[in-house]
Amino acid sequence: MTETTLYIVRHGKTMFNTIERVQGWCDTPLTREGKEGIRHLGRGLKEIEFAFAHSSDSGRAIETARTILGEHLKGKEIPYSIDPRIREWCFGSLEGGYDKEMWGVIPRVLNFQTPDEMFTTDVTFEQIANAVYDLDTAGWAETYQTLKERVWNGFEDIAHHCEKHGGGNVLVVSHGLTIAFLLNLIDEKQPVRAGLQNGSVTKVSYQDGKFTILGINNVSYIEKGKELTRDSFL
């Protein structure tokens, strides 16, 4: 059986990413810059054999996945499905507010002086999730346990499905904090990350029920796509 490898992509840059607003379950479209970056990514990935493709049900993830598949040499032949379990965290009433406001108040709830202090210490995803849950005044934010089960089950089912069908490579389009959270669930020594780049590729393998991290936040496929684009004009 061929090893199963997930190519987990953070969606392209969106309007809310650009103006630095909180974007969890709320959604905005890719910007012109975001679309261009994902087209480059698609060209950089176009020769990789993908057995399956999946994305979250957020519009920005669907747009990203379809753009990548549109550039792929066999994009029309790759089975593609949508899975709501791999969407971004829900930030409840904090959705749509400025990033600086949310990441300014969460450290204070956790008794840190600044966001920098929080991210340079041993803060955990559980602490952050609990803080969001406590700050949410709408009652929409998920508990840590709900979030953990959703994210883990989503990615594991995607990986297991491919393994069951012979293994191979799987394209998965998800979201920054969700991807970082998965890495921490795979390896608890992985730090809390809030800076995975739009269009970056994080690779994990899956075999016999176990994930292994192969690479994090890789933007080389975007650079490869840019080179291919430049070469096509020469």
Side-chain angles (χ1 to χ4, degrees), residues 20-212:
E20 299 182 345
R21 284 187 177 270
V22 178
Q23 185 177 229
W25 282 16
C26 67
D27 202 25
T28 60
L30 304 191
T31 61
R32 182 181 301 176
E33 177 190 354
K35 291 177 182 178
E36 183 180 17
I38 297 304
R39 281 195 291 269
H40 289 316
L41 174 63
R43 291 164 193 155
L45 293 170
K46 70 178 184 179
E47 295 181 351
I48 293 176
E49 293 284 342
F50 288 116
F52 300 96
H54 303 265
S55 79
S56 87
D57 60 342
S58 296
R60 59 194 186 273
I62 294 171
E63 185 177 4
T64 297
R66 288 178 173 167
T67 300
I68 294 171
L69 293 174
E71 296 291 340
H72 197 278
L73 295 177
K74 298 181 179 179
K76 293 182 179 180
E77 303 171 19
I78 300 169
Y80 166 56
S81 64
I82 293 168
D83 193 326
R85 295 175 298 177
I86 62 171
R87 63 168 64 163
E88 186 58 287
W89 291 29
C90 179
F91 299 106
S93 57
L94 301 174
E95 297 264 351
Y98 284 106
D99 288 337
K100 289 183 179 179
E101 292 176 355
M102 185 179 80
W103 292 111
V105 70
I106 287 176
R108 292 200 295 274
V109 170
L110 298 176
N111 296 316
F112 294 105
Q113 296 300 314
T114 65
D116 287 342
E117 182 184 352
M118 182 176 73
F119 285 116
T120 54
T121 61
D122 293 328
V123 66
T124 66
F125 279 110
E126 184 171 7
Q127 288 176 299
I128 294 174
N130 288 340
V132 170
Y133 186 81
D134 290 341
L135 288 165
D136 173 32
T137 58
W140 298 334
E142 300 162 286
T143 65
Y144 172 77
Q145 191 61 35
T146 298
L147 183 65
K148 178 181 177 180
E149 290 175 3
R150 167 170 73 81
V151 172
W152 182 262
N153 290 340
F155 282 101
E156 186 173 46
D157 282 355
I158 286 170
H160 180 67
H161 173 265
C162 183
E163 183 180 63
K164 187 172 64 174
H165 287 82
N169 300 317
V170 187
L171 173 68
V172 185
V173 180
S174 187
H175 305 262
L177 206 56
T178 298
I179 298 169
F181 185 31
L182 172 68
L183 294 173
N184 183 260
L185 293 176
I186 294 171
D187 176 6
E188 63 182 12
K189 294 180 181 178
Q190 289 292 321
V192 170
R193 289 183 174 86
L196 294 180
Q197 296 186 55
N198 293 106
S200 64
V201 176
T202 292
K203 288 173 64 175
V204 300
S205 66
Y206 181 83
Q207 195 163 25
D208 299 326
K210 181 181 179 181
F211 283 109
T212 302

